[in-house]
Amino acid sequence: MAPTRTPAPRRFLGRLSLPERTFVADALRTETVGGVLLLLAAIAALIWANTPLSDSYDAVRDFHIGPASLGLDLSLQHWAADGLLAVFFFVAGIELKRELVAGELRDPRAAALPVIAAICGMAAPALVYTVVNVVGDGSLDGWAVPTATDIAFALAVLAVIGTSLPSAIRAFLLTLAVVDDLFAIMIIAIFFTSELNFAALGGAVVGLAVFWLLLRKGVRGWYIYVPLALAVWGLMYNSGVHATIAGVAMGLMLRCTRREGEKHSPGEHIEHLVRPLSAGLAVPLFAFFSAGVALSGEAIGGVFTRPETLGVVLGLVLGKALGIFGGTWLAARFTRAELNEDLAWPDVFAVATLAGIGFTVSLLIGELAFAGDPALTDEIKASVLIGSLIAALLATVLLKLRVRVHRSLYEAEERDEDQDGIPDVYEQDNPEYHLRMAEIYEKKAAEHRRLAEVSGASQGDGGLRA
């Protein structure tokens, strides 16, 4: 009887495949630029809202525009939250679809780890917020505010402090954020849906069905899909379901698997076109219209004394870090996934801490949770900003403690001595690579022998002259 083979344990945070590494690098590059723009937009809003010209900021933010006959006479802030963020969630839907069919989430064993980590990373902040507000007799309406991670903001921080992070750590953060976005979408759809207009909702469903049918028939042309998408969005908004759900639904419908002869799937192609619009325009504009809150010394002090705001800060800083780290450790034990021997669990904790940066979606949920109390909404926004800042500073310290390890791994990943555009670590099983390297080293050896002969000859001539 042949002995049964024990399957090799999976490697957690191991080296990515070359196609996955390329995709992650391109996605992170765009998100990083968008994150920097997001930071600049948030800073500009904070400065404007805390100067003597703050009234003009409020006037611009509350300026109404749009066809009232279609139920779309909205303020600029409202357009940013419900309109522009639909583009952000459209990209999130494509990312999720790609992860499910071609990325880390397609393998149930591989998907278990980031999914469990993301669930724990949302449950723990909600629990922290709930405990703080039960003890402090505060409102439980904001339990969902600290549950979201802002990938663009987090990557902007990484662009400054973590340029040498291995791609596997970056990919883990990206996958974690994709799953996080999925659950944030579900929270918005389930808990923040107002009274339903079934006629508008039915129209939106019909529009989505037409969108899906056109995709399946292979119909092309932006002039068909863009008007249809706008109609679906408008109907979804008027249905009472949060309009960003329309973006997610359409993103999930796109095909993200490649057929023979295709360099990119339709989903990847459209994501490549729309992601810069999302990261470079939609999210920064939302941040600009949402982050402008008054931050007096008294207001900042109140963040740490009022249960609702303290719950948000502690949820982002403690809940996120402990939830993601604990969920990851438990999932690794459950799936028997071994951590990459070049890394350590403190690296995972640093990334978990970085995930406490909850900006875009946290601000959106804060607006939805306390829509009837503008003063408390501003205080919640301030607590999101402060909690995200604390999480970013803690993550900076933790990542800097391991910078030498990360840099050596990153340099090994990037090394390309044969200059063929493919990192050497991905060519160790390629005979042609080793032949190229042998030729390179032979040329170097010949050059060193020539230099040795020249040096020897010059030393001999010097001895004769002496």
Side-chain angles (χ1 to χ4, degrees):
M1 183 177 176
T4 57
R5 285 189 176 182
T6 303
R10 286 198 321 102
R11 185 72 64 190
F12 171 49
L13 294 182
R15 186 181 303 127
L16 301 176
S17 66
L18 185 58
E20 187 70 11
R21 177 184 179 275
T22 303
F23 173 82
V24 168
D26 291 342
L28 295 183
R29 193 176 299 113
T30 304
E31 290 288 357
T32 300
V33 173
V36 173
L37 293 175
L38 183 153
L39 288 174
L40 293 175
I43 291 170
L46 284 170
I47 292 174
W48 193 357
N50 287 275
T51 65
L53 300 175
S54 59
D55 289 343
S56 62
Y57 173 81
D58 293 335
V60 171
R61 184 175 61 181
D62 297 334
F63 180 77
H64 277 63
I65 189 172
S69 59
L70 298 178
L72 296 175
D73 182 20
L74 310 177
S75 68
L76 291 181
Q77 182 182 13
H78 207 161
W79 275 110
D82 279 23
L84 291 177
L85 279 195
V87 179
F88 166 80
F89 280 109
F90 175 69
V91 174
I94 300 175
E95 287 178 342
L96 177 61
K97 179 68 172 289
R98 185 197 167 277
E99 288 290 334
L100 288 170
V101 300
E104 285 291 304
L105 302 181
R106 73 184 184 279
D107 176 7
R109 289 182 64 210
L113 205 148
V115 169
I116 292 173
I119 291 173
C120 293
M122 299 186 81
L127 180 62
V128 168
Y129 178 93
T130 301
V131 170
V132 170
N133 281 271
V134 168
V135 173
D137 196 25
S139 171
L140 298 180
D141 291 344
W143 65 269
V145 175
T147 60
T149 293
D150 191 305
I151 186 61
F153 202 153
L155 291 175
V157 174
L158 279 184
V160 177
I161 63 170
T163 54
S164 59
L165 271 182
S167 59
I169 292 182
R170 294 171 181 264
F172 176 66
L173 180 61
L174 182 61
T175 305
L176 192 72
V178 169
V179 180
D180 190 286
D181 284 340
L182 169 64
F183 287 107
I185 292 160
M186 293 173 63
I187 287 172
I188 291 171
I190 295 170
F191 296 100
F192 297 104
T193 294
S194 57
E195 293 182 4
L196 290 177
N197 180 331
F198 288 100
L201 182 59
V205 171
V206 171
L208 289 172
V210 172
F211 188 87
W212 178 85
L213 184 61
L214 292 174
L215 289 173
R216 290 301 170 271
K217 294 294 184 181
V219 176
R220 297 187 178 185
W222 65 268
Y223 47 84
I224 296 174
Y225 289 103
V226 171
L228 179 58
L230 291 174
V232 170
W233 175 87
L235 288 166
M236 190 70 76
Y237 174 83
N238 282 286
S239 74
V241 177
H242 200 270
T244 53
I245 304 302
V248 178
M250 287 184 280
L252 287 170
M253 289 181 183
L254 293 173
R255 176 169 61 84
C256 293
T257 52
R258 300 177 189 178
R259 292 175 180 169
E260 187 175 353
E262 286 184 341
K263 188 175 181 181
H264 302 288
S265 68
E268 290 172 321
H269 176 67
I270 293 173
E271 181 186 16
H272 179 73
L273 295 175
V274 179
R275 186 188 286 273
L277 176 64
S278 168
L281 180 67
V283 174
L285 277 177
F286 169 76
F288 178 77
F289 288 118
S290 293
V293 295
L295 293 177
S296 64
E298 183 179 349
I300 294 174
V303 166
F304 298 97
T305 56
R306 182 163 184 161
E308 293 89 351
T309 51
L310 180 61
V312 170
V313 172
L314 293 179
L316 289 171
V317 177
L318 295 180
K320 270 290 183 183
L322 296 177
I324 291 175
F325 178 80
T328 303
W329 186 83
L330 289 172
R333 290 287 298 264
F334 177 73
T335 60
R336 293 185 295 176
E338 292 184 358
L339 183 66
N340 183 348
E341 66 271 11
D342 296 319
L343 296 170
W345 283 106
D347 299 307
V348 180
F349 187 76
V351 174
T353 304
L354 188 64
I357 298 175
F359 193 81
T360 304
V361 181
S362 288
L363 290 175
L364 174 61
I365 294 176
E367 291 179 358
L368 296 173
F370 298 102
D373 190 341
L376 182 54
T377 298
D378 282 349
E379 292 176 3
I380 290 293
K381 288 181 179 180
S383 66
V384 169
L385 297 176
I386 292 171
S388 298
L389 177 61
I390 294 172
L393 293 174
L394 287 176
T396 299
V397 173
L398 294 173
L399 288 171
K400 288 297 183 184
L401 293 175
R402 298 276 295 168
V403 68
R404 291 184 180 179
V405 175
H406 296 160
R407 185 178 293 123
S408 64
L409 292 174
Y410 179 78
E411 290 172 352
E413 262 187 18
E414 295 295 315
R415 191 174 296 117
D416 183 18
E417 291 190 74
D418 61 341
Q419 299 294 307
D420 67 342
I422 300 175
D424 296 339
V425 294
Y426 292 99
E427 298 192 283
Q428 296 305 307
D429 296 328
N430 183 1
E432 294 180 2
Y433 161 75
H434 292 290
L435 291 174
R436 288 195 300 270
M437 291 304 300
E439 184 179 350
I440 290 171
Y441 283 122
E442 285 168 2
K443 288 181 179 179
K444 288 183 178 181
E447 178 64 15
H448 282 294
R449 281 193 289 269
R450 186 187 68 79
L451 292 173
E453 291 172 1
V454 171
S455 298
S458 63
Q459 288 179 3
D461 292 343
L464 289 174
R465 283 195 295 272

